[in-house]
Amino acid sequence: MLSAGIHHITAIAGDPQQNLSFYSEVLGLRLVKRTVNFDDPGSYHFYFGDGIGSPGTIMTFFPWPGARRGVRGSGQVTAVAFAVPRDSIPFWKHRLWENQVNAEEIAGRFGGNALRFIDPDGLLLELIESSVIPSEAEGSHSQPFRATSSGSLDDARDHGVMGDGIRGFAAPTLAIGRPERTENLLTEILGFEFVVEEQNRRRFRGSAGNVVSDIDVVSSRGDFGKVAVGTVHHIAFRAADDDEQLRLREQLVTRGLNVTPVIDRQYFHSIYFREPNGILFEIATDGPGFLIDESADQLGEALKLPPIYESNRAEIERTLPVIHLHHSTA
Ligand code: ZN
């Protein structure tokens, strides 16, 4: 069976310290890998996620200090949505307010409560109470956040989010001008199914094991966005293994899409292509994962470089901005 779902979402940030502090200390995610952009080793690549960075929980950033802001618009993932447990919105409203983040309540999108706000670089984020996550009192053994090492819980505890914490993605929004071909790609190749629609928003769902991923496709006649600071760079979908990835690649090529060869990203293997409305899509394998070069309790602590850059470590470390991993605890 195809493992359909979101693997990770990558966005562009400005200042790396501000990005790190916001996602770890305010949102309570764990920094699971600190490395460089493999295509531009003079800049960081941060991976945040659950305890071990399980596929489906990974939010990543390329921090480009001093770069210009992007423009949110058509042909982009215009909102990154994280799933939070039922009844946790009051907790998050308070927490964001405490951290001087203005959050707006979005009532009733497909019946779920949600908050919408922007990160320090202008990236639009949503926290959505997910019907597939039981509230804390009911417990859960099926969510990646809990099923993994204690790292995420320890980290969340440090930052005071505990049981209200983010459990991976909810339904990110893809804004596109002509939804049909993108929707066909999602359902015919990437293994998603249409589930429900409301006004101009159509929801698609994929599952891999017991991890469910939703995606909202919104038809947008607005201007095209410009990818830079504060916008999503790409969204990655899951492939269970290299064989599944190659099968998917064949199908994409057959459809006339221009797909890259398989690229080794150290923690997964990737292919990239522009979907018909211009959003950069990636398909990433579940393995080998973030534990190949660090133990679960040390994830994110050290700057990790792929073997090709190890010989340049001293120079790379001199070039990268200095950051502090734990500069305050709530
Ligand atoms: Zn990626």
Side-chain angles (χ1 to χ4, degrees), residues 27-149:
L27 296 188
L29 297 177
R30 185 180 189 196
L31 180 71
V32 294
K33 197 64 68 181
R34 179 157 60 108
T35 183
V36 292
N37 180 340
F38 290 5
D39 301 321
D40 172 20
S43 64
Y44 281 117
H45 194 178
F46 294 156
Y47 290 84
F48 297 92
D50 71 353
I52 58 164
S54 308
T57 71
I58 309 160
M59 182 70 209
T60 102
F61 289 93
F62 298 136
W64 294 351
R68 71 184 196 286
R69 285 249 175 138
V71 178
R72 198 159 46 238
S74 188
Q76 282 184 348
V77 176
T78 50
V80 174
F82 296 110
V84 293
R86 279 206 301 276
D87 308 321
S88 66
I89 290 296
F91 166 85
W92 282 105
K93 267 176 86 167
H94 183 70
R95 186 178 179 84
L96 292 168
W97 172 80
E98 272 181 333
N99 286 281
Q100 292 86 47
V101 179
N102 287 315
E104 171 199 0
E105 220 159 331
I106 332 169
R109 184 191 293 171
F110 302 122
N113 295 321
L115 285 178
R116 157 185 285 203
F117 52 99
I118 57 171
D119 86 351
D121 293 306
L123 183 68
L124 184 60
L125 301 177
E126 294 169 346
L127 295 179
I128 300 179
E129 283 187 357
S130 171
S131 57
V132 296
I133 302 172
S135 65
E136 179 64 6
E138 295 162 73
S140 163
H141 300 287
S142 63
Q143 293 303 319
F145 187 84
R146 285 150 189 279
T148 55
S149 81

Side-chain angles (χ1 to χ4, degrees), residues 266-287:
Q266 184 82 351
Y267 310 106
F268 41 83
H269 304 145
S270 298
I271 56 176
Y272 301 84
F273 60 99
R274 293 252 170 224
E275 57 82 32
N277 282 280
I279 304 176
L280 184 59
F281 275 14
E282 173 183 351
I283 295 174
T285 53
D286 281 359

Side-chain angles (χ1 to χ4, degrees), residues 77-81 106-112 114 116 124 126 128 170-176 179 183 194-204 214-220:
V77 176
T78 50
V80 174
I106 332 169
R109 184 191 293 171
F110 302 122
R116 157 185 285 203
L124 184 60
E126 294 169 346
I128 300 179
T173 298
L174 275 56
I176 50 183
E183 291 183 359
F194 169 74
V195 282
V196 62
E197 71 186 307
E198 189 176 86
Q199 293 158 1
N200 65 341
R201 181 177 290 270
R202 288 162 58 80
R203 180 158 292 180
F204 293 81
D214 284 349
I215 282 187
D216 283 358
V217 173
V218 167
S219 60
S220 154

Side-chain angles (χ1 to χ4, degrees), residues 245-265:
Q245 182 178 57
L246 289 175
R247 274 199 307 277
L248 291 168
R249 189 177 185 285
E250 275 306 309
Q251 293 173 35
L252 295 165
V253 168
T254 302
R255 205 166 267 232
L257 292 161
N258 189 5
V259 191
T260 67
V262 175
I263 299 172
D264 184 359
R265 294 305 189 192

